Amino acid sequence: MSARRTRGSRSRWSSAGLHTLLVGASVIAVFPVAWVLLTSLKTERDTWARPDELGILGLGNYQQVLADTQFTTWFANSLIVAAGTTVLAVLIAATAGYAASRMRFPGHRPLMWMFLVVQMFPAAVLIVPLYNVMSDLGLLNSYAGLILAQCTVAVPYCAWMLKGYFDTIPISIDEAGRIDGLSPFGTFWRLIVPLAKPGIAVTVFYSFITAWGEVAFASVFMQSEDRYPLPVGMSTFVSDFTSEWGLLTASSVLVMVPAAVVFFLVQRHLVAGLTAGGVKG
């Protein structure tokens, strides 16, 4: 009886400790978002410097951001770049991952290792060479140039993820497609892609989030204010000469909306895609 009680007591204490840890982690994760939301509702400038005072709360900062700044232009720019990066990166990564998974061509293993090595380089190292290439091609201050730059970050991880997911799909499905007269691309598009929706959902979410919040490339390659994406445009609210914390926090809350929408659309497949993609590779 004493041994059973001891084991039961330890189990209860372990359970209580685990729940306490989870609650604490949740509070730590939610606190910054809640703080930004609360600050965005403060309409009195003096209260920004006094966190213990709420002051008058309202939607004035949101109205000013939408009416008196170029937020809508920056928002549209970010949507164009994020959507373009997502489509192009997932297309390249899916075809590269499928080729590496199913085909044995000269250099297929070095190709995947090259993706991995490229992923190891920080974005700051790539800025100068990419800038020189885009300058020679006339792609500076253009959506196409920034989309291509974002793909250098998104494609390597997505290709590795999808290659691992394609490895879990039986090769017999490809053989059945060839027997039915499908071309290699037809087999990939009609048979493999529908089965790989969870893995593709992960790469879609990763590519979108990567492009949506990226700052380093955007701040260098986009040189006119009307081409700024949201992260770069929002940085103009706080500088050495201005401190518009209300505008910055209000725009930060609005920036979360598209990311939350994308997450809601793909969240059913995220867990399956992440776990299946790590089985083989």
Side-chain angles (χ1 to χ4, degrees):
M1 291 294 293
S2 60
R4 292 181 180 178
R5 290 178 181 176
T6 301
R7 285 196 294 269
S9 177
R10 289 178 180 176
S11 177
R12 287 193 295 270
W13 281 108
S14 298
S15 178
L18 178 61
H19 283 81
T20 302
L21 180 62
L22 292 175
V23 170
S26 300
V27 171
I28 293 174
V30 172
F31 179 77
V33 179
W35 189 269
V36 169
L37 177 60
L38 179 61
T39 304
S40 69
L41 296 174
K42 293 183 178 181
T43 57
E44 298 179 24
R45 297 177 61 90
D46 294 340
T47 56
W48 299 341
R50 298 193 299 272
D52 56 325
E53 296 182 16
L54 290 179
I56 300 176
L57 302 181
L59 299 177
N61 292 322
Y62 293 91
Q63 295 173 353
Q64 186 177 355
V65 163
L66 296 175
D68 300 336
T69 70
Q70 297 192 56
F71 178 87
T72 54
T73 300
W74 301 336
F75 190 92
N77 293 339
S78 286
L79 280 181
I80 293 172
V81 172
T85 301
T86 300
V87 173
L88 184 60
V90 172
L91 179 62
I92 295 174
T95 52
Y98 179 73
S101 174
R102 292 295 197 265
M103 303 175 185
R104 294 299 176 263
F105 53 90
H108 78 279
R109 289 188 180 275
L111 173 65
M112 299 309 297
W113 282 110
M114 187 181 301
F115 281 149
L116 184 61
V117 170
V118 171
Q119 188 74 8
M120 295 178 181
F121 287 97
V125 176
L126 303 176
I127 289 178
V128 173
L130 285 176
Y131 183 93
N132 292 332
V133 171
M134 290 186 183
S135 178
D136 294 338
L137 296 176
L139 293 176
L140 291 177
N141 202 38
S142 68
Y143 298 128
L146 186 56
I147 288 172
L148 291 175
Q150 305 284 18
C151 285
T152 62
V153 178
V155 168
Y157 172 82
C158 294
W160 267 98
M161 171 63 70
L162 288 176
K163 194 266 184 186
Y165 196 91
F166 290 142
D167 285 344
T168 66
I169 299 177
I171 300 179
S172 58
I173 295 178
D174 301 66
E175 296 173 349
R178 288 194 293 269
I179 293 174
D180 290 340
L182 293 176
S183 64
F185 183 79
T187 301
F188 166 74
W189 184 253
R190 296 187 180 184
L191 302 180
I192 304 302
V193 168
L195 296 175
K197 283 183 179 180
I200 293 175
V202 175
T203 57
V204 166
F205 183 69
Y206 175 80
S207 300
F208 184 87
I209 294 300
T210 298
W212 185 254
E214 201 278 331
V215 178
F217 289 156
S219 61
V220 175
F221 301 146
M222 296 308 228
Q223 301 171 342
S224 59
E225 191 170 353
D226 62 330
R227 289 298 181 97
Y228 284 170
L230 272 173
V232 180
M234 289 164 54
S235 66
T236 62
F237 293 148
V238 178
S239 64
D240 295 337
F241 307 102
T242 59
S243 297
E244 297 292 344
W245 294 107
L247 300 183
L248 180 62
T249 53
S251 58
S252 298
V253 174
L254 295 175
V255 164
M256 300 178 193
V257 176
V261 171
V262 173
F263 176 79
F264 177 77
L265 293 176
V266 304
Q267 56 90 20
R268 291 187 306 163
H269 304 293
L270 283 180
V271 174
L274 285 170
T275 54
V279 173
K280 293 183 180 180

